[in-house]
Amino acid sequence: MQLKQISGLLVLCGVVGLSGCSSVVTEGSSAAAGVAGTALAGKVTNNAAVATGIGLGVQAAARAGVQYEQRKIHGEEQDAIASAAGGLTVGAVANWEIRHSLPLEDNERGRVTVSRIISSQGMSCKEIVFSVDGLVGQAGKPTSEFYVATICQSGANWKWASAEPATERWGALQ
């Protein structure tokens, strides 16, 4: 039993140490939760089916928690891009940047421009083209990747209105 607890702590320490890599965090936290769930189940019951259920439940909860945080981080990045583009006219270019408070994802920066205005009957939207230009604070020649999205005005703020760029970049974690 003590070996399982030590293994769980080692996995957890490894995950925390590599927290900049989101796939390591996702899988590592899931594995650590599985080990911790197994240790907990071993203290609660001797029934293998019940122990398996407890372990899988703890693992699923940990994975859901990490995915929730990743969705929040992606939303913050989308809000930063939408905010930078909201005040632009067609053809104007602005810079955007995001520095995450939780280091599950890299800090990023880029440029954004409005390619067209989409407005009708009280809806004010813009089609934008934005780049992701390497990592914030990283020296060297940045690489640029370009995406198209739609943003719409919601009260005083501009909000993300399309999922296509997020799907390619982040999979199911929109």
Side-chain angles (χ1 to χ4, degrees), residues 122-149:
M123 288 184 60
S124 180
C125 299
K126 297 178 180 185
E127 182 180 75
I128 62 171
V129 177
F130 68 97
S131 70
V132 178
D133 298 335
L135 304 175
V136 173
Q138 186 178 31
K141 184 178 178 184
T143 58
S144 294
E145 296 176 8
F146 294 91
Y147 304 92
V148 176

Side-chain angles (χ1 to χ4, degrees), residues 105-125:
E105 298 282 337
D106 293 325
N107 295 327
E108 293 181 310
R109 66 172 177 239
R111 294 157 288 152
V112 63
T113 186
V114 175
S115 58
R116 69 182 172 131
I117 305 288
I118 308 165
S119 294
S120 177
Q121 299 177 359
M123 288 184 60
S124 180
C125 299

Side-chain angles (χ1 to χ4, degrees), residues 2-46:
Q2 190 141 2
L3 180 60
K4 288 180 184 178
Q5 291 172 337
I6 291 171
S7 298
L9 287 173
L10 289 174
V11 169
L12 186 59
C13 289
V15 168
V16 171
L18 296 171
S19 64
C21 182
S22 64
S23 63
V24 171
V25 171
T26 302
E27 295 306 317
S29 64
S30 180
V35 170
T38 302
L40 172 68
K43 290 184 178 190
V44 173
T45 184
N46 288 331

Side-chain angles (χ1 to χ4, degrees), residues 154-169:
S154 176
N157 299 318
W158 287 85
K159 299 299 277 178
W160 206 257
S162 61
E164 290 80 12
T167 302
E168 181 180 326
R169 295 179 69 213

Side-chain angles (χ1 to χ4, degrees), residues 53-126:
I54 291 171
L56 290 174
V58 170
Q59 187 177 27
R63 184 173 297 206
V66 169
Q67 288 176 340
Y68 170 77
E69 286 301 319
Q70 287 175 322
R71 282 191 304 273
K72 273 183 36 181
I73 288 168
H74 298 157
E76 290 169 359
E77 187 168 321
Q78 291 171 343
D79 286 345
I81 296 167
S83 178
L88 296 178
T89 58
V90 174
V93 177
N95 293 319
W96 68 270
E97 181 175 311
I98 186 74
R99 291 187 182 269
H100 301 293
S101 57
L102 192 60
L104 287 176
E105 298 282 337
D106 293 325
N107 295 327
E108 293 181 310
R109 66 172 177 239
R111 294 157 288 152
V112 63
T113 186
V114 175
S115 58
R116 69 182 172 131
I117 305 288
I118 308 165
S119 294
S120 177
Q121 299 177 359
M123 288 184 60
S124 180
C125 299
K126 297 178 180 185

